[in-house]
Amino acid sequence: MNFNEGSVQSKKEFPNKSLLLAVCAACIGGTFQYGYNISVINAPTTYVQSFINETWRERYQTNISEDVLTLLWSTIVSIFTVGGFIGVTIGGTLSVKLGRKGTLLTNNIFALTAALLIGLSYPTGLFELLIIGRFFTGINAGIGICVQPLYLGEIAPTSLRGAMGMGTSIFITIGILTGQVIGLKELLGKEEYWPILLSTTCIPAILQLLILPWFPESPRFLLIDRGDDEGCKKALKQLHCADYDCEWEDIEKERNNLVDFQAKKPWELLSDRSIRWQLLTIILLNAAQQLNGINAIYFYADYLFKQAGIPADTRPYVTVGTGACECITALTCGMLIECLGRKVLITGGYTLMSICCVLFTLTLTFQDASPVIPYLSMACVFAFILSFGLGPGGVTNILTTELFTQTSRPAAYMIAGSVNWLSFFFIGLVFPFIVIGLQQYCFLVFLVICSLMAVYIYLVIPETKNKTFLEIQNEFQTSKSRKDRSADGVGTTLLSTSI
């Protein structure tokens, strides 16, 4: 009997093939696109700038000025974040109207349109198409990073929600690594191939359109939002095989708890005092995910590799190594998250990043003191990336899913995604000035952010491992009641003392 119980328990710990394939189908056209389009733009930088210069000369019979070229290139790169912000603000609404799966499939229209425009930019001599194309890739990435985690969190059983939710960050890192590899000169990194390189964003979109229709809509969306009992049971049976009774009961409890409730809008969420701690938490987590220094590490990486004596022609391969490092760490986090829990990983990640910030500041300050120091700086680069991947990089999106119930979750993702994209845009705009002003001491700013986040998470966020969405909400409500009673007790004491 004990043997059978152990067998059942071990089966529950592993997802079935249909669930894994559904996760992959959602991710390949979702957050993979986000990571891929962030990294793939780096390889053809000089080639695209040459194309803009040639096009300008043909139009106006003069070379483009350095300032205008820089402005146009910056626009091509940064318009991606503008599109991402717009995508994330409409993603939540679309997920309520079209469903999670329906929105992911519709979202591929933006990727295919972007690929077409970018591919036509070179033969037509219109660099403006590059800007519009990058804008559409941004919208695609914004919708994907908003809706895909919703889908993953809602199709996974409670015991595997963290591991399946890690698909978001795993596929972001796979996308970044794929963009770095395909951008190598041995593949599509040569000058004549850059339009093809930037147009390859259509491939993940086509793959998702071919694969995702074979998998069901989110069971929670079908039952709670649409009231489709049979559709929900069919979806659960396909995703969880025959053993889906517990999940059905959990979804039914949540539906009964949300009777007469409609999906909330972002402004309704902001004015709802009952979930203010959850909302504050996801706002801080998503802002810190961009402001914690990971972008600064990538900015300094090339300089550090140069200081370490790595030849210029081999530096792209070392950069691929950083992408591989982040990818492996995300996979490791996916394996550990159901064992150690969310709180341990994200608190530990921010704590290790704080230590890395101190060490990085020291190694950059004494860069010329010894030939060994540049290699220590390189070690700090990889240690920081590992710490980020183990904690903030992987757990943030999962917590955004878990801290809210069905009617609040789409609006929560719209708010969290908007904060994330605005922080991404802000750090890209401000970071060069921080580096100029503070130089290597800029990492002290990130030290403060990482340290404060570690303390906040430790004090405020409960462990969510193996808990239903209703249990997590109740735990926050209980914690809020305790704080309110404590505040009332302090007020009563002060009043009686003054009397």
Side-chain angles (χ1 to χ4, degrees):
M1 184 171 178
N2 289 338
F3 176 76
N4 289 337
E5 284 176 3
S7 300
V8 171
Q9 184 63 32
S10 66
K11 280 184 181 178
K12 285 184 180 179
E13 290 177 359
F14 296 96
N16 67 61
K17 186 166 64 175
S18 181
L19 178 60
L20 277 175
L21 290 174
V23 169
C24 292
C27 291
I28 194 67
T31 50
F32 177 90
Q33 291 276 43
Y34 172 82
Y36 184 75
N37 284 297
I38 282 175
S39 68
V40 80
I41 195 68
N42 295 322
T45 299
T46 54
Y47 308 142
V48 174
Q49 289 177 345
S50 297
F51 163 65
I52 294 171
N53 195 16
E54 288 170 14
T55 305
W56 191 277
R57 193 186 305 118
E58 287 175 9
R59 286 186 193 176
Y60 307 109
Q61 287 74 51
T62 182
N63 286 330
I64 192 170
S65 70
E66 195 67 33
D67 290 340
V68 175
L69 180 61
T70 303
L71 176 64
L72 287 172
W73 173 247
S74 298
T75 303
I76 290 169
V77 174
S78 61
I79 199 72
F80 178 78
T81 60
V82 178
F85 178 75
I86 292 171
V88 85
T89 56
I90 62 175
T93 304
L94 288 175
S95 72
V96 174
K97 293 185 180 297
L98 304 178
R100 291 25 167 172
K101 174 185 162 185
T103 302
L104 288 172
L105 289 171
T106 305
N107 188 33
N108 290 300
I109 294 170
F110 294 107
L112 295 173
T113 305
L116 179 64
L117 292 171
I118 292 169
L120 290 173
S121 63
Y122 184 75
T124 57
L126 295 170
F127 58 77
E128 293 86 354
L129 294 180
L130 268 175
I131 298 172
I132 301 169
R134 283 287 291 176
F135 176 70
F136 280 124
T137 59
I139 293 176
N140 172 263
I143 293 174
I145 208 166
C146 174
V147 180
Q148 180 210 292
L150 270 177
Y151 183 69
L152 299 191
E154 292 176 7
I155 66 172
T158 302
S159 59
L160 291 169
R161 200 170 56 227
M164 296 299 98
M166 277 302 299
T168 297
S169 60
I170 288 170
F171 272 83
I172 288 175
T173 58
I174 291 173
I176 291 171
L177 179 60
T178 305
Q180 290 170 340
V181 171
I182 291 181
L184 294 173
K185 288 189 177 180
E186 288 80 357
L187 296 173
L188 293 178
K190 292 181 180 177
E191 184 168 7
E192 60 268 29
Y193 296 143
W194 74 258
I196 300 172
L197 174 65
L198 296 182
S199 298
T200 50
T201 188
C202 68
I203 296 173
I206 293 168
L207 284 173
Q208 187 176 69
L209 287 170
L210 291 173
I211 302 169
L212 189 58
W214 296 96
F215 298 96
E217 179 57 89
S218 155
R220 287 179 182 276
F221 175 81
L222 289 171
L223 186 63
I224 299 173
D225 293 71
R226 291 278 169 88
D228 185 357
D229 291 46
E230 288 305 312
C232 177
K233 287 180 180 177
K234 187 178 177 183
L236 285 171
K237 189 173 182 180
Q238 182 178 348
L239 293 167
H240 304 164
C241 294
D243 185 23
Y244 64 83
D245 291 340
C246 291
E247 293 304 317
W248 168 259
E249 288 173 14
D250 174 36
I251 298 171
E252 262 204 317
K253 280 181 189 175
E254 190 171 346
R255 178 174 69 168
N256 294 335
N257 194 59
L258 298 171
V259 171
D260 298 327
F261 281 87
Q262 297 293 322
K264 292 182 179 178
K265 303 290 189 293
W267 51 90
E268 293 173 336
L269 217 60
L270 290 168
S271 60
D272 188 347
R273 293 176 63 84
S274 67
I275 54 170
R276 61 184 175 184
W277 279 104
Q278 292 99 306
L279 201 57
L280 176 63
T281 297
I282 64 155
I283 288 171
L284 291 175
L285 285 174
N286 280 273
Q289 192 177 30
Q290 295 295 342
L291 304 177
N292 58 29
I294 190 67
N295 296 300
I297 286 290
Y298 281 117
F299 178 85
Y300 267 104
D302 191 62
Y303 163 74
L304 292 172
F305 299 153
K306 181 181 177 182
Q307 288 294 104
I310 297 170
D313 56 342
T314 59
R315 270 177 234 152
Y317 304 99
V318 182
T319 304
V320 168
T322 63
C325 174
E326 194 173 351
C327 189
I328 292 166
T329 312
L331 288 166
T332 306
C333 184
M335 292 185 281
L336 292 175
I337 194 163
E338 296 299 352
C339 302
L340 300 179
R342 287 64 155 154
K343 190 168 183 173
V344 170
L345 284 175
I346 195 167
T347 307
Y350 273 117
T351 303
L352 289 172
M353 288 166 73
S354 301
I355 295 168
C356 288
C357 284
V358 174
L359 296 176
F360 209 59
T361 302
L362 291 172
T363 55
L364 286 175
T365 302
F366 300 105
Q367 191 75 7
D368 301 322
S370 167
V372 179
I373 299 294
Y375 294 96
L376 293 177
S377 297
M378 282 181 62
C380 285
V381 168
F382 285 95
F384 195 95
I385 292 169
L386 285 167
S387 304
F388 175 78
L390 274 175
V395 182
T396 300
N397 280 307
I398 294 170
L399 287 175
T400 307
T401 300
E402 292 183 329
L403 299 186
F404 295 89
T405 52
Q406 189 75 8
T407 55
S408 303
R409 201 173 294 123
Y413 262 100
M414 290 169 72
I415 294 168
S418 299
V419 170
N420 201 299
W421 281 97
L422 286 172
S423 300
F424 187 13
F425 178 76
F426 174 79
I427 197 69
L429 193 68
V430 173
F431 179 67
F433 298 101
I434 295 174
V435 173
I436 292 167
L438 298 177
Q439 296 181 0
Q440 71 270 24
Y441 299 107
C442 68
F443 285 92
L444 296 178
V445 176
F446 304 128
L447 167 64
V448 173
I449 293 170
C450 292
S451 302
L452 290 175
M453 281 309 302
V455 172
Y456 178 85
I457 292 162
Y458 179 77
L459 294 176
V460 174
I461 302 178
E463 180 53 70
T464 59
K465 183 180 74 168
N466 290 333
K467 293 176 183 174
T468 66
F469 296 124
L470 284 177
E471 287 171 344
I472 296 165
Q473 186 187 43
N474 290 336
E475 190 160 343
F476 261 102
Q477 296 299 332
T478 304
S479 174
K480 177 178 177 291
S481 298
R482 280 199 304 267
K483 287 171 185 172
D484 289 345
R485 283 198 300 270
S486 174
D488 289 343
V490 171
T492 305
T493 304
L494 288 173
L495 185 61
S496 61
T497 303
S498 62
I499 290 170

